[in-house]
């Protein structure tokens, strides 16, 4: 009942009289404010759930949704695996070994995984895997980031990475957490990666 009520309140007015939307096969949703937490795929129009009717994509902001990515020619196997283990997370070493051998690429680990080295390694990589500590600071989201060998790579640093990846995997605590900023958009490590 809640799923149907939310569909009726949020989406039914958008679809009313719009055959182009009703006949679409894919929807790109850019939530606003508290709607970032809504599982749009679970909304039901009375017959089907949204996920049964459409291919759904969600973007944390309009600027990310509308940005066209310039494709550069890279080898399909280009990857970057970054891992910084410590006493609190010693299994990162094993994770990095498994992922880098599976992808067939060398890993950037330990003291070699500096902020500068990471910027260079990820620039043309199609697959990027981070295995390191992450942090999210709700009261100061811009100070959130990933811990590398020479310190924290902040959200601002992550925005500046100039990624050209098809897949970025974040294996670190709090990398999926976010806050909603004054513009009602998400702020966090994952959004920074999408933006870069």
């Amino acid at each position: 009942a809640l799923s149907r009520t939310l569909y009726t309140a949020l989406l039914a007015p958008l679809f009313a009289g719009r055959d182009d939307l009703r006949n679409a096969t894919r929807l790109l949703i850019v939530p606003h404010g508290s709607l970032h937490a809504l599982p749009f795929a679970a909304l039901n129009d009375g017959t089907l759930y949204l996920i049964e009717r459409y291919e759904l994509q969600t973007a944390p902001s309009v600027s990310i949704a509308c940005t066209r990515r310039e494709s550069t020619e890279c080898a399909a196997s280009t990857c970057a695996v970054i891992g910084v283990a410590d006493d609190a997370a010693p299994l990162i070493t094993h994770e990095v070994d498994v992922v880098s051998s599976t992808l067939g690429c060398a890993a950037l680990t330990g003291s070699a995984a500096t902020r500068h080295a990471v910027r260079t390694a990820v620039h043309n990589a199609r697959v990027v895997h981070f295995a390191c500590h992450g942090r999210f600071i709700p009261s100061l989201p811009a100070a959130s980031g990933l811990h590398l060998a020479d310190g924290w790579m902040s959200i601002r640093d992550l925005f500046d990475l100039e990624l050209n990846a098809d897949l970025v995997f974040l294996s670190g605590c709090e990398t999926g957490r976010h806050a909603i900023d004054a513009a009602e958009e998400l702020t966090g490590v994952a959004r920074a990666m999408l933006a870069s």
Side-chain angles (χ1 to χ4, degrees):
L2 179 58
S3 172
R4 176 77 173 123
T5 301
L6 287 169
Y7 178 90
T8 301
L10 297 172
L11 298 178
L14 296 173
F15 290 118
R18 295 285 311 266
D19 289 335
D20 58 333
L21 290 179
R22 271 189 258 118
N23 295 327
T25 58
R26 181 174 53 169
L27 292 180
L28 172 62
I29 299 170
V30 182
H32 182 73
S34 60
L35 294 178
H36 284 285
L38 181 66
F40 281 90
L43 299 186
N44 189 294
D45 65 6
T47 306
L48 296 170
Y49 290 97
L50 216 56
I51 191 66
E52 294 176 302
R53 192 175 297 276
Y54 303 103
E55 173 190 339
L56 297 176
Q57 294 178 305
T58 305
S61 72
V62 172
S63 60
I64 290 175
C66 295
T67 301
R68 288 185 177 260
R69 191 178 93 178
E70 294 297 323
S71 180
T72 59
E73 295 300 319
C74 297
S77 62
T78 304
C79 65
V81 178
I82 297 103
V84 181
D86 61 15
D87 292 340
L91 294 178
I92 286 176
T93 302
H94 177 68
E95 176 182 345
V96 167
D97 290 343
V98 170
V99 171
S100 62
S101 66
T102 300
L103 294 175
C105 64
L108 187 59
T109 61
S111 62
T114 63
R115 288 172 287 187
H116 176 73
V118 166
R119 275 187 213 95
T120 303
V122 303
H123 184 66
N124 287 320
R126 294 309 234 186
V127 175
V128 178
H129 183 98
F130 283 96
C132 56
H133 290 290
R135 74 174 174 196
F136 178 75
I137 304 170
S139 60
L140 190 59
S144 304
L146 301 174
H147 190 260
L148 300 176
D150 60 343
W152 288 94
M153 183 172 257
S154 71
I155 284 182
R156 178 169 289 146
D157 297 328
L158 296 173
F159 269 108
D160 293 336
L161 280 180
E162 297 181 18
L163 291 173
N164 195 33
D166 296 319
L167 172 68
V168 177
F169 191 89
L170 299 170
S171 178
C173 294
E174 302 184 349
T175 56
R177 293 189 62 200
H178 61 271
I180 298 174
D181 66 17
E184 300 292 333
E185 294 183 351
L186 295 181
T187 302
V189 173
R191 183 195 187 275
M193 288 297 187
L194 285 169
S196 69

